[in-house]
Amino acid sequence: MALKAGIVGLPNVGKSTLFNAITKKHILAANYPFATIDPNVGVVTVPDSRLTFLENLYLPKSTIPTSFEFTDIAGLVEGASKGEGLGNKFLSHIREVDAIVEVVRCFIDENIIHVSGKVDPLKDIEIINVELILSDLEIIENRLSKIEKKAQTTKEKETIAEFETLKKCQKALLDNIPLRRLELDEEEKLIIKNFNFITAKPIIYVANVNEEDAVVGKNEFTSQVEEYAAKEKASVIVMCAKLESELAELEESDKQAFLKELGISYSGLDKLIFATYDLLGLQTFFTVGKDECRAWTFKKGTTAKKAAGLIHSDIERGFIKAEIMKYNDLEELKDEKKVQEAGKLNLEGKDYIMQDGDIVYFRFNV
């Protein structure tokens, strides 16, 4: 699935350093604005101990984890909605992602310039929010100017509903309320879907701290970010991007040993991946065998037939049944045959709603 999370933030907050850690790539991470001119896209694998268990059980020729994309987008500056910095180019890149990861600087370092002159995470968040709100407002106002007269004179329900929904969104944005915080019914959500509003996208805040505060897990700045994020029911991941970038260079065993030495269970990067995966409404099913054990990403609510199409369109087209066992049952019994004997291998039809951890064999005929 081509789902993307976009990493945004002001210049010099640690976005590109975080992206380096995520993808284990080495894009330019310079100490000046616009070091990242074009969006950099990297595929990140989702850590999953269940796949390790399946690999050890089936001993396949290959093991393929599930993944999704992170996009590193050039640093935003105040006035972007009016064309400052990279302006509308930056905003169009954000509009293409499914979720936003906003990196907020929560560390003091005199050697790294802050575009506002001092570290103030709440001001940084507000600068970005205002620019995104202004961008969405422009789209709404352009559309309203085209349909207002028709909405006031016609009896077309669709036009009237669109006009009223956009007016509702306009009011929220003028009140400095992102659209993700606006209460919308299903019809209203459907109306605004095609506009791809930036402020309607789900968001996670990354509080980028120094190494010492990463071990503690907080500082005075992160508390401010957490309080702000709570208002929109958003998650906050506290991490040190520099430390994560260094950890990404280590072998997995060395990385775990280092984390244990620091007294940390999971790296900040792993926490971010888990949180983003959940934010995008993603889950995992598995296909297993001697040739391959593979994890597949699907959206919550996906039917068995649609999930089959993630593997191949022919499997979806010729779908007959799905043989499904639960990962927890296989982990407990440690043998497919025992799962079947226990009556825990089920045949499901095309409308079965896939569950996280399902192990599936699709029967099909084309």
Side-chain angles (χ1 to χ4, degrees), residues 62-345:
S62 66
T63 301
I64 305 173
T66 189
S67 62
F68 61 92
E69 293 181 355
F70 273 100
T71 303
D72 180 35
I73 300 169
L76 181 65
V77 295
E78 198 165 2
S81 58
K82 297 181 178 66
E84 294 293 327
L86 296 177
N88 292 329
K89 185 178 180 183
F90 167 91
L91 295 168
S92 68
H93 290 153
I94 303 179
R95 215 170 284 284
E96 293 168 5
V97 303
D98 301 287
I100 296 171
V101 176
E102 184 171 330
V103 182
V104 186
R105 181 167 168 174
C106 292
F107 66 90
I108 296 173
D109 187 335
E110 294 178 359
N111 296 316
I112 300 177
I113 302 162
H114 190 286
V115 290
S116 300
K118 68 172 184 176
V119 177
D120 186 343
L122 295 187
K123 183 181 178 184
D124 293 356
I125 291 172
E126 282 303 319
I127 287 173
I128 288 181
N129 281 354
V130 166
E131 296 305 326
L132 302 187
I133 282 172
L134 288 173
S135 177
D136 281 350
L137 263 175
E138 184 179 2
I139 290 173
I140 288 175
E141 288 166 356
N142 286 341
R143 181 60 181 164
L144 285 174
S145 68
K146 292 177 181 177
I147 67 170
E148 184 171 12
K149 189 173 181 181
K150 186 179 179 181
Q152 292 170 345
T153 58
T154 188
K155 292 184 179 179
E156 287 183 10
K157 290 182 180 179
E158 293 82 2
T159 303
I160 294 169
E162 182 184 355
F163 180 77
E164 290 177 349
T165 301
L166 290 179
K167 288 294 286 185
K168 182 177 179 179
C169 292
Q170 182 188 42
K171 183 181 184 306
L173 293 174
L174 288 171
D175 290 337
N176 202 32
I177 299 171
L179 296 183
R180 62 180 163 269
R181 289 168 57 183
L182 185 61
E183 292 281 340
L184 297 171
D185 62 31
E186 291 306 312
E187 183 185 1
E188 290 169 330
K189 288 177 183 176
L190 202 59
I191 288 170
I192 72 167
K193 185 176 180 182
N194 290 333
F195 291 98
N196 212 11
F197 291 125
I198 299 173
T199 65
K201 298 179 187 296
I203 192 167
I204 289 176
Y205 293 98
V206 170
N208 187 18
V209 300
N210 60 32
E211 292 186 29
E212 293 78 12
D213 291 336
V215 176
V216 177
K218 62 180 179 179
N219 63 25
E220 59 177 309
F221 298 127
T222 64
S223 298
Q224 294 173 25
V225 176
E226 287 170 349
E227 187 177 336
Y228 182 94
K231 295 174 185 175
E232 51 185 41
K233 298 177 182 177
S235 298
V236 178
I237 306 296
V238 178
M239 69 163 74
C240 172
K242 182 173 179 290
L243 175 62
E244 296 297 328
S245 188
E246 292 168 357
L247 283 170
E249 298 298 322
L250 301 177
E251 295 293 332
E252 187 60 27
S253 58
D254 293 334
K255 172 186 165 183
Q256 293 304 323
F258 186 51
L259 288 173
K260 187 176 181 181
E261 187 179 323
L262 292 175
I264 301 174
S265 301
Y266 291 98
S267 72
L269 181 52
D270 285 347
K271 290 177 184 176
L272 176 60
I273 292 171
F274 295 143
T276 308
Y277 199 69
D278 185 61
L279 184 72
L280 288 169
L282 303 179
Q283 294 181 322
T284 303
F285 74 83
F286 303 95
T287 53
V288 297
K290 292 297 181 185
D291 286 332
E292 177 185 274
C293 283
R294 182 164 183 169
W296 300 85
T297 298
F298 68 95
K299 286 278 269 186
K300 291 177 184 177
T302 297
T303 62
K305 186 176 180 180
K306 286 291 183 185
L310 297 174
I311 299 174
H312 198 286
S313 57
D314 284 350
I315 303 178
E316 180 179 4
R317 184 161 53 89
F319 181 92
I320 300 172
K321 290 285 183 182
E323 290 183 9
I324 295 179
M325 57 181 165
K326 303 299 182 184
Y327 170 81
N328 289 343
D329 292 332
L330 182 60
E331 183 184 37
E332 179 186 347
L333 298 171
K334 296 179 174 56
D335 185 273
E336 263 190 45
K337 190 174 180 181
K338 289 181 180 178
V339 171
Q340 186 174 5
E341 289 171 350
K344 294 182 176 181
L345 179 65

